Amino acid sequence: MSNILEVRNYSQSYGGDIKACDDVSLTVESGDIFGFIGHNGAGKSTTIRAVVGVLDFDEGEILIDGHSVKKEPMECKKITAYIPDNPDLYDNLTGIQYLRFVADVYEMDPSERDAKISKYADMLEITDALGDLIGSYSHGMKQKVAIISALIHSPKLLVLDEPFVGLDPKASFTLKEIMHEMCENGSSVFFSTHVLDVAEKLCNKAAIIKKGKIIASGTMEELTGGQSLESVFLEAVNE
Amino acid sequence: MNKSEITLLRMLLTASSPFNTLKYGKDKKKRGTAVGQIVANIILFLILAGYEVATAVGYAYNGMTKSIAILCGITVSVMAFVLTFFRIDGTLFDFDGYDILMSFPYKAGSVAKCKCIYLYVRCLHWYLGLSLAGMVVALAYGGIDILGAILWTIMSLFLPLIPMLAATVAGTVITGITSGFKNKTILRAAASMTFILLVFAGRFLLEGKLREEEPSMSEILASMSEYTDRIARYYPPVKWFSDGTVGNIASCILLVIVSLVLFVSVFFVVGKRYRELNSALKSHSSSKDFVMKSSGKRSVLSAVVFKEYRRFMGSSTYLVNCGFGVVLSLVIGIAVMVVGFDGLISTITGDAPIPQGIVYPAIPFIVYFCTGMVSTTTCSPSLEGKSYWIVQSLPLDRKKLYQGKLIFNMILFAPVGTLVTMLMCIAAHTGLINTLICMLLSIALIFFSSSWGLVCGIRFMKLQWESEIEVIKQGTAVVVYMLPNMFVNMGLIVLMIFLGTKVSANILLGGVLIIVAALGLAAYKRAMRLAVIRG
């Protein structure tokens, strides 16, 4: 399998000596659902923001499908989709205006664009609200629009920061189904979560980050070794 | 601009358009605010165009029709520079949605470029309002022909670009220098204010230099055209604009080409460091050395005031836009002690032949130009933004919340306003009673501005915004507050000077004090009612 995401010795420091991320290395292969687990402030979001090209970084190299995030950001962004933990969408646009904007950015054909929007909006049960202003949406509805916007251009790598926060149970289930479907089609998913049960059931690989350093990484079987992910995680972070 | 950049620009404009809210919004309150925003913008447009028409007609009436183009060029350039400088920080940097926007396949330079063009388009009607109003007068008085009018219209689209780029570079440099520091918010605000003060000082120096060349006021009035020409000499784009309006196509082309070349060059450089700067601004390390210390109990009101203080200090955009009046007041206070009251008035009025004594009754209103043109109460209700749920869910009396906001504005402006009024009165030797009444009037004016600001702030509260600048600088509340405030204050200065020649200054000031206090009280009562109804 080919490597979709490679993070090599990535480090990020704030204000001199304080390192938010220290020598982080991980690899996501084609078809992987990779869970990124850690305490609040451990460095998950910082790593994710560097991966999607939002945050500049000091040391290391991040490659998406062989392209350097630093040197070839456009090539990376064209095949990646990102959903932040708190989707700050444009409140004064309607859901459909926002989704069509995203599709236009990825230069999608209008018929394909509308078909995909309809497909995912129906799956996430938000079709009826797409004509309303995003400002009138609940957090979960905004999250659903963000998810649709990330899926419509069929990215090779889907990066999500705490994707299940605010989603109703049905939408959470649908998102997991979509993740599986994507990976079966050769795409990969890299996401951070605090919900260890979800990570254990959903991911084939995971990494645990503590104070900016990866302290455990591998396939789910290698990580857990027969125990629950929760006990492995607590053991690792308490060391 | 390529196709995807046009897509981004179109989205940015739609996302901030009140027409989109009117078309798709279902919330009556938000639709009402959108209508208010449109009406306020139309009124402001008419005022600006009217101002330019009046000035241009004055020029034409005095046989200076050929200088109208220079007048328009200078006005538009100054306005473009000021509007951009105060807005560029919140437009290019530190805006919500940065993460999602930058994750799309856009080059960093494209995002920065689109954001700047967005700012240009959002302000273009102001620039065109000023420039085309001048053009109509120049055309009517025979200063230009049809070709000149066509070139004038074309050049009006490009004229604001160079000052906008200068302000963008200044804002970016300030952000670049300060983003590496721990207290970047305060440093950015301090650097921005220093820069503005330097620009002000530069303007006075330049004006002084021009006047040295032509020291007599009567001579200046006699050759006003030559005087404006000299200003244009220091700023070539205005010269090109002026020459273009009389049919010099080469000057017109020069203005367009230089503007475009500078635009491309600036965003090539800004784009190189755009992500780096935003990364530095948006990255915060969490402190690991906090030690819990005991703290005294605060009253609800002082807790709200403290919250407002922290909000104010936590945003460089808020700090610069609302704190600049305080700094400017202090600068004037120091200046009046150094150059004396007469020297200060001479500097402000450009050595106009005004007997200084008649200005004394207007002192509180002169100070009010610094302390009252901006009020934190106009934007602080909207600045609650997405965190509004916090105060909504707390067992906090809505009136107390807004009283806290009002008190914070009073604390910010009243001490400095009173101090500067006192210093000006001392420098002007107005006498003890007069000084005391002036100080009381200064406080009453700030109470009025706080209360009236609160009325506007609650009435036109906008909780959904992408960048703070939308509510601090562009909000309907700010426009509705500032316009009548500014024009009434200008009128009051003239009225006070006029009445001061007829009535005793103490009686006049005492009477005005009672009226202002009553207006302030009425505005306060209205604000408290609105707090209950809409807050």
Side-chain angles (χ1 to χ4, degrees), chain B residues 355-423:
Chain B
Q356 315 300 353
I358 66 166
V359 183
Y360 299 161
I363 287 175
F365 295 96
I366 294 170
V367 176
Y368 185 67
F369 255 116
C370 300
T371 56
M373 283 309 109
V374 174
S375 170
T376 58
T377 49
T378 54
C379 51
S380 66
S382 299
L383 280 172
E384 295 286 346
K386 287 170 186 163
S387 311
Y388 193 48
W389 65 269
I390 299 172
V391 287
Q392 275 184 313
S393 61
L394 287 172
L396 177 61
D397 178 9
R398 210 47 58 84
K399 281 185 182 176
K400 279 240 164 64
L401 171 67
Y402 291 105
Q403 280 165 348
K405 290 179 186 292
L406 186 140
I407 290 170
F408 173 70
N409 192 66
M410 292 288 292
I411 291 172
L412 187 65
F413 289 109
V416 72
T418 317
L419 174 72
V420 175
T421 305
M422 186 183 77
L423 292 175

Coordinates of all heavy atoms in Angstrom, one line a residue, chain B residues 355-423:
Chain B
P355 N -9.7 84.7 16.4 CA -9.3 85.2 17.7 C -9.4 84.0 18.7 O -10.5 83.4 18.9 CB -10.3 86.3 18.0 CG -11.0 86.6 16.8 CD -10.9 85.4 15.9
Q356 N -8.3 83.7 19.4 CA -8.3 82.4 20.2 C -9.3 82.5 21.4 O -9.8 81.5 21.7 CB -6.9 82.2 20.8 CG -5.7 82.4 19.8 CD -5.8 81.4 18.6 OE1 -6.6 80.5 18.5 NE2 -5.0 81.7 17.6
G357 N -9.5 83.7 21.9 CA -10.4 83.8 23.1 C -11.8 83.3 22.8 O -12.4 82.7 23.7
I358 N -12.3 83.4 21.6 CA -13.7 82.9 21.4 C -13.8 81.4 21.3 O -14.9 80.9 21.3 CB -14.2 83.6 20.0 CG1 -13.5 83.0 18.8 CG2 -14.2 85.1 20.1 CD1 -14.2 83.3 17.5
V359 N -12.7 80.7 21.3 CA -12.7 79.3 21.2 C -12.9 78.6 22.6 O -13.4 77.5 22.7 CB -11.4 78.7 20.6 CG1 -11.5 77.2 20.4 CG2 -11.2 79.4 19.2
Y360 N -12.7 79.4 23.7 CA -12.7 78.8 25.0 C -13.9 78.0 25.4 O -13.9 76.9 25.9 CB -12.5 79.9 26.1 CG -11.1 80.6 26.0 CD1 -10.9 81.8 26.6 CD2 -10.1 80.0 25.3 CE1 -9.7 82.5 26.5 CE2 -8.8 80.7 25.2 CZ -8.7 81.9 25.8 OH -7.5 82.5 25.7
P361 N -15.2 78.6 25.1 CA -16.4 77.8 25.5 C -16.5 76.5 24.8 O -17.3 75.6 25.2 CB -17.5 78.7 25.1 CG -16.9 80.1 24.9 CD -15.5 79.9 24.5
A362 N -15.7 76.3 23.7 CA -15.8 75.1 22.9 C -14.9 74.0 23.4 O -14.9 72.9 22.8 CB -15.6 75.4 21.4
I363 N -14.1 74.3 24.4 CA -13.0 73.3 24.8 C -13.6 71.9 25.1 O -13.0 70.9 24.5 CB -12.3 73.9 26.1 CG1 -11.3 75.0 25.6 CG2 -11.4 72.8 26.8 CD1 -10.6 75.7 26.8
P364 N -14.6 71.7 25.9 CA -15.1 70.4 26.1 C -15.5 69.6 24.8 O -15.3 68.4 24.7 CB -16.3 70.5 27.0 CG -16.2 71.9 27.6 CD -15.5 72.7 26.6
F365 N -16.0 70.4 23.9 CA -16.4 69.7 22.6 C -15.2 69.4 21.7 O -15.2 68.4 21.0 CB -17.4 70.6 21.9 CG -18.7 70.8 22.6 CD1 -18.8 72.0 23.4 CD2 -19.6 69.9 22.6 CE1 -20.0 72.1 24.1 CE2 -20.8 70.0 23.3 CZ -21.0 71.2 24.1
I366 N -14.1 70.2 21.9 CA -12.9 69.9 21.1 C -12.3 68.6 21.7 O -11.9 67.7 21.0 CB -11.9 71.0 21.2 CG1 -12.4 72.3 20.5 CG2 -10.5 70.6 20.7 CD1 -11.6 73.5 20.8
V367 N -12.3 68.5 23.0 CA -11.8 67.3 23.7 C -12.7 66.1 23.3 O -12.2 64.9 23.1 CB -11.7 67.4 25.2 CG1 -11.3 66.1 25.9 CG2 -10.8 68.6 25.6
Y368 N -14.0 66.3 23.2 CA -14.9 65.3 22.9 C -14.7 64.7 21.5 O -15.0 63.5 21.3 CB -16.4 65.9 23.0 CG -17.5 64.9 22.8 CD1 -17.7 63.9 23.7 CD2 -18.3 64.9 21.7 CE1 -18.7 62.9 23.6 CE2 -19.3 64.0 21.5 CZ -19.5 63.0 22.5 OH -20.5 62.1 22.3
F369 N -14.0 65.4 20.6 CA -13.7 64.8 19.3 C -12.7 63.6 19.5 O -12.7 62.7 18.7 CB -13.0 65.9 18.4 CG -13.9 66.4 17.4 CD1 -14.3 67.7 17.3 CD2 -14.4 65.5 16.4 CE1 -15.2 68.1 16.3 CE2 -15.2 65.9 15.4 CZ -15.6 67.3 15.4
C370 N -12.0 63.7 20.6 CA -11.1 62.5 20.9 C -11.7 61.5 21.7 O -11.5 60.3 21.5 CB -9.8 63.0 21.6 SG -8.9 64.2 20.7
T371 N -12.5 61.9 22.7 CA -13.1 61.0 23.7 C -14.4 60.4 23.3 O -14.9 59.5 23.9 CB -13.1 61.6 25.0 OG1 -13.9 62.8 24.9 CG2 -11.7 62.0 25.6
G372 N -15.1 61.1 22.4 CA -16.5 60.7 22.2 C -16.9 60.2 20.8 O -17.9 59.7 20.5
M373 N -15.9 60.3 19.8 CA -16.2 59.8 18.5 C -16.3 58.3 18.4 O -17.0 57.8 17.5 CB -15.2 60.4 17.5 CG -15.3 61.8 17.1 SD -17.0 62.3 16.6 CE -17.5 63.3 18.0
V374 N -15.7 57.6 19.3 CA -15.8 56.2 19.4 C -16.1 55.8 20.8 O -15.6 56.4 21.7 CB -14.4 55.5 19.0 CG1 -14.4 54.1 19.2 CG2 -14.0 55.9 17.6
S375 N -17.1 54.9 20.9 CA -17.5 54.5 22.2 C -17.4 52.9 22.2 O -17.9 52.3 21.3 CB -18.9 55.0 22.6 OG -19.3 54.3 23.7
T376 N -16.8 52.4 23.3 CA -16.8 50.9 23.3 C -18.2 50.3 23.4 O -18.4 49.2 23.0 CB -16.0 50.4 24.6 OG1 -16.6 51.0 25.7 CG2 -14.5 50.9 24.5
T377 N -19.1 51.1 23.9 CA -20.5 50.6 24.1 C -21.2 50.3 22.8 O -22.2 49.5 22.7 CB -21.4 51.5 24.9 OG1 -21.2 52.9 24.4 CG2 -21.0 51.6 26.4
T378 N -20.7 50.9 21.7 CA -21.4 50.6 20.4 C -21.1 49.2 19.9 O -21.9 48.6 19.2 CB -20.9 51.6 19.3 OG1 -19.5 51.6 19.2 CG2 -21.3 53.0 19.5
C379 N -19.8 48.8 20.2 CA -19.5 47.5 19.6 C -19.4 46.3 20.7 O -19.5 45.2 20.3 CB -18.2 47.5 18.9 SG -16.8 48.3 19.8
S380 N -19.3 46.7 22.0 CA -19.1 45.6 23.0 C -20.3 44.7 23.0 O -20.1 43.5 23.2 CB -18.8 46.2 24.3 OG -19.9 46.9 24.9
P381 N -21.6 45.1 22.8 CA -22.7 44.1 22.8 C -22.5 43.1 21.7 O -22.6 41.9 21.9 CB -24.0 44.9 22.6 CG -23.6 46.3 23.1 CD -22.2 46.5 22.8
S382 N -22.1 43.6 20.5 CA -21.8 42.7 19.3 C -20.6 41.8 19.6 O -20.5 40.7 19.1 CB -21.7 43.5 18.0 OG -22.8 44.2 17.8
L383 N -19.6 42.4 20.2 CA -18.4 41.6 20.4 C -18.6 40.4 21.3 O -17.7 39.5 21.4 CB -17.3 42.5 21.1 CG -16.6 43.5 20.1 CD1 -15.7 44.4 20.8 CD2 -15.8 42.7 19.0
E384 N -19.7 40.3 22.0 CA -20.0 39.1 22.8 C -20.0 37.9 21.8 O -19.6 36.8 22.2 CB -21.3 39.2 23.5 CG -21.5 40.2 24.6 CD -20.7 39.9 25.8 OE1 -20.3 38.7 26.0 OE2 -20.5 40.8 26.7
G385 N -20.5 38.2 20.6 CA -20.4 37.2 19.5 C -20.9 35.8 19.9 O -22.0 35.7 20.5
K386 N -20.1 34.8 19.5 CA -20.5 33.4 19.8 C -20.4 33.1 21.3 O -20.9 32.0 21.7 CB -19.6 32.5 19.0 CG -19.9 32.5 17.5 CD -18.9 31.8 16.6 CE -19.3 32.0 15.2 NZ -18.2 31.7 14.3
S387 N -19.8 34.0 22.1 CA -19.7 33.7 23.5 C -20.9 34.3 24.3 O -21.0 34.3 25.5 CB -18.5 34.3 24.1 OG -17.4 33.9 23.3
Y388 N -21.9 34.8 23.5 CA -23.0 35.5 24.1 C -23.8 34.5 25.1 O -24.4 35.0 26.0 CB -24.0 36.0 23.0 CG -25.0 37.0 23.5 CD1 -24.7 38.0 24.4 CD2 -26.3 36.9 23.1 CE1 -25.6 38.9 24.8 CE2 -27.3 37.8 23.6 CZ -26.9 38.8 24.4 OH -27.9 39.7 24.9
W389 N -23.7 33.3 24.7 CA -24.5 32.3 25.6 C -24.0 32.3 27.0 O -24.7 32.0 27.9 CB -24.3 30.9 25.0 CG -22.8 30.4 25.1 CD1 -21.9 30.5 24.1 CD2 -22.2 29.7 26.2 NE1 -20.7 30.0 24.5 CE2 -20.9 29.5 25.8 CE3 -22.6 29.3 27.4 CZ2 -20.0 28.8 26.6 CZ3 -21.7 28.6 28.2 CH2 -20.4 28.4 27.8
I390 N -22.7 32.8 27.2 CA -22.2 32.8 28.6 C -23.0 33.7 29.5 O -23.5 33.4 30.5 CB -20.7 33.2 28.6 CG1 -19.9 32.2 27.8 CG2 -20.2 33.3 30.0 CD1 -18.4 32.6 27.6
V391 N -23.1 35.0 29.0 CA -23.9 36.0 29.8 C -25.4 35.7 29.8 O -26.1 36.0 30.7 CB -23.6 37.4 29.3 CG1 -22.2 37.9 29.7 CG2 -23.8 37.6 27.9
Q392 N -25.8 35.0 28.7 CA -27.3 34.7 28.7 C -27.6 33.6 29.7 O -28.7 33.6 30.3 CB -27.6 34.2 27.3 CG -27.9 35.3 26.3 CD -28.4 34.7 25.0 OE1 -27.7 33.8 24.4 NE2 -29.4 35.2 24.4
S393 N -26.7 32.7 29.9 CA -27.0 31.6 30.8 C -26.7 31.9 32.2 O -27.1 31.1 33.1 CB -26.2 30.3 30.3 OG -24.8 30.6 30.4
L394 N -25.9 32.9 32.5 CA -25.6 33.3 33.9 C -26.8 34.0 34.6 O -27.5 34.7 33.9 CB -24.4 34.2 33.9 CG -23.0 33.6 33.6 CD1 -22.0 34.6 33.5 CD2 -22.6 32.6 34.7
P395 N -26.9 33.8 35.9 CA -28.0 34.6 36.6 C -27.6 36.1 36.7 O -27.4 36.6 37.8 CB -28.0 33.9 37.9 CG -26.7 33.3 38.1 CD -26.1 33.0 36.8
L396 N -27.5 36.7 35.5 CA -27.0 38.0 35.5 C -28.1 38.9 34.9 O -28.6 38.7 33.8 CB -25.8 38.1 34.5 CG -25.1 39.4 34.2 CD1 -24.6 40.1 35.5 CD2 -24.0 39.2 33.2
D397 N -28.5 39.9 35.7 CA -29.5 40.9 35.3 C -29.0 41.6 34.1 O -27.9 42.1 34.0 CB -29.7 41.9 36.5 CG -30.8 42.9 36.1 OD1 -31.4 42.8 35.0 OD2 -30.9 43.9 36.8
R398 N -29.8 41.6 33.0 CA -29.4 42.1 31.7 C -29.0 43.6 31.9 O -28.0 44.1 31.2 CB -30.5 42.0 30.7 CG -30.1 41.8 29.3 CD -29.0 40.8 29.0 NE -29.3 39.5 29.5 CZ -30.0 38.6 28.8 NH1 -30.5 38.9 27.6 NH2 -30.2 37.4 29.3
K399 N -29.7 44.3 32.8 CA -29.3 45.7 32.9 C -27.9 45.9 33.5 O -27.2 46.8 33.1 CB -30.3 46.4 33.9 CG -31.6 46.8 33.3 CD -32.5 47.5 34.3 CE -33.8 47.9 33.7 NZ -34.7 48.5 34.6
K400 N -27.6 45.0 34.4 CA -26.3 45.0 35.1 C -25.2 44.8 34.0 O -24.1 45.4 34.0 CB -26.1 43.9 36.1 CG -26.8 44.3 37.5 CD -25.7 44.3 38.6 CE -26.1 45.0 39.8 NZ -27.3 44.4 40.5
L401 N -25.5 43.9 33.1 CA -24.5 43.6 32.0 C -24.2 44.9 31.2 O -23.0 45.2 31.0 CB -25.0 42.5 31.1 CG -24.2 42.2 29.8 CD1 -22.9 41.6 30.1 CD2 -25.0 41.3 28.9
Y402 N -25.2 45.6 30.9 CA -25.0 46.7 30.0 C -24.5 47.9 30.9 O -23.8 48.8 30.3 CB -26.3 47.0 29.2 CG -26.5 46.0 28.2 CD1 -27.5 45.0 28.3 CD2 -25.7 45.9 27.1 CE1 -27.6 44.0 27.4 CE2 -25.8 44.9 26.1 CZ -26.8 43.9 26.3 OH -26.9 42.9 25.4
Q403 N -24.9 48.0 32.1 CA -24.4 49.0 33.0 C -22.9 48.8 33.1 O -22.1 49.8 33.1 CB -25.0 49.0 34.4 CG -26.4 49.6 34.5 CD -27.2 49.2 35.7 OE1 -26.8 48.3 36.5 NE2 -28.2 49.9 36.0
G404 N -22.4 47.6 33.2 CA -21.0 47.3 33.3 C -20.3 47.8 32.0 O -19.2 48.3 32.1
K405 N -20.9 47.5 30.9 CA -20.3 48.0 29.6 C -20.2 49.5 29.6 O -19.2 50.1 29.1 CB -21.1 47.5 28.4 CG -21.0 46.0 28.2 CD -21.9 45.6 27.1 CE -21.9 44.0 26.9 NZ -20.7 43.4 26.5
L406 N -21.2 50.2 30.1 CA -21.3 51.6 30.1 C -20.2 52.2 31.1 O -19.4 53.1 30.8 CB -22.7 52.1 30.6 CG -22.9 53.6 30.5 CD1 -24.3 53.8 30.0 CD2 -22.8 54.2 31.9
I407 N -20.1 51.5 32.2 CA -19.1 52.0 33.2 C -17.7 51.8 32.7 O -16.8 52.7 32.9 CB -19.3 51.2 34.6 CG1 -20.6 51.7 35.2 CG2 -18.1 51.4 35.5 CD1 -21.0 50.8 36.4
F408 N -17.5 50.7 32.0 CA -16.1 50.5 31.4 C -15.8 51.7 30.4 O -14.6 52.2 30.5 CB -16.0 49.2 30.7 CG -14.7 49.0 30.0 CD1 -13.5 48.9 30.7 CD2 -14.6 49.1 28.6 CE1 -12.3 48.8 30.0 CE2 -13.4 49.0 27.9 CZ -12.2 48.8 28.7
N409 N -16.7 52.1 29.6 CA -16.4 53.1 28.7 C -16.2 54.4 29.4 O -15.3 55.2 29.1 CB -17.6 53.3 27.7 CG -17.3 54.2 26.6 OD1 -16.4 53.9 25.7 ND2 -17.9 55.4 26.6
M410 N -16.9 54.6 30.5 CA -16.7 55.8 31.3 C -15.3 55.8 31.9 O -14.6 56.8 32.0 CB -17.8 55.9 32.4 CG -19.2 56.2 32.0 SD -19.5 57.8 31.4 CE -19.4 58.8 32.9
I411 N -14.9 54.7 32.5 CA -13.6 54.5 33.1 C -12.5 54.8 32.1 O -11.5 55.4 32.4 CB -13.4 53.2 33.8 CG1 -14.4 53.0 35.0 CG2 -12.0 52.9 34.2 CD1 -14.4 51.6 35.6
L412 N -12.7 54.3 30.9 CA -11.7 54.5 29.8 C -11.6 56.0 29.4 O -10.4 56.4 29.2 CB -12.1 53.6 28.6 CG -11.2 53.5 27.4 CD1 -9.9 52.8 27.9 CD2 -11.8 52.7 26.3
F413 N -12.7 56.6 29.2 CA -12.6 58.0 28.6 C -12.8 59.1 29.6 O -12.2 60.2 29.4 CB -13.7 58.1 27.5 CG -13.4 57.4 26.3 CD1 -14.1 56.2 25.9 CD2 -12.3 57.7 25.4 CE1 -13.8 55.5 24.8 CE2 -12.1 57.0 24.3 CZ -12.8 55.9 24.0
A414 N -13.6 58.9 30.7 CA -13.9 60.1 31.5 C -12.6 60.7 32.2 O -12.4 61.9 32.2 CB -14.9 59.7 32.6
P415 N -11.8 59.9 32.9 CA -10.6 60.5 33.5 C -9.7 61.3 32.6 O -9.3 62.4 32.8 CB -9.8 59.3 34.1 CG -10.9 58.2 34.2 CD -11.8 58.4 33.0
V416 N -9.4 60.6 31.4 CA -8.5 61.3 30.5 C -9.2 62.5 29.9 O -8.6 63.6 29.7 CB -8.0 60.3 29.4 CG1 -9.0 59.9 28.4 CG2 -6.8 60.9 28.7
G417 N -10.5 62.4 29.6 CA -11.2 63.5 29.0 C -11.2 64.7 30.0 O -11.0 65.9 29.6
T418 N -11.5 64.4 31.2 CA -11.6 65.5 32.3 C -10.2 66.1 32.4 O -10.1 67.3 32.5 CB -12.0 64.9 33.6 OG1 -13.1 64.0 33.3 CG2 -12.5 65.9 34.6
L419 N -9.2 65.3 32.5 CA -7.8 65.8 32.6 C -7.4 66.7 31.5 O -6.9 67.8 31.7 CB -6.8 64.6 32.7 CG -5.3 64.9 32.8 CD1 -5.0 65.5 34.2 CD2 -4.5 63.7 32.5
V420 N -7.7 66.3 30.3 CA -7.2 67.1 29.1 C -8.1 68.4 29.1 O -7.5 69.4 28.8 CB -7.4 66.3 27.8 CG1 -7.1 67.1 26.6 CG2 -6.5 65.1 27.8
T421 N -9.3 68.3 29.4 CA -10.2 69.5 29.5 C -9.5 70.5 30.5 O -9.4 71.7 30.2 CB -11.6 69.2 29.9 OG1 -12.1 68.2 29.0 CG2 -12.5 70.4 29.9
M422 N -9.2 69.9 31.7 CA -8.6 70.8 32.7 C -7.3 71.4 32.2 O -7.1 72.6 32.4 CB -8.3 69.9 34.0 CG -7.8 70.7 35.1 SD -7.4 69.7 36.5 CE -5.8 69.0 36.0
L423 N -6.4 70.6 31.6 CA -5.2 71.1 31.1 C -5.4 72.2 30.0 O -4.7 73.3 30.0 CB -4.3 70.0 30.4 CG -3.8 68.9 31.4 CD1 -3.1 67.8 30.6 CD2 -2.8 69.6 32.4

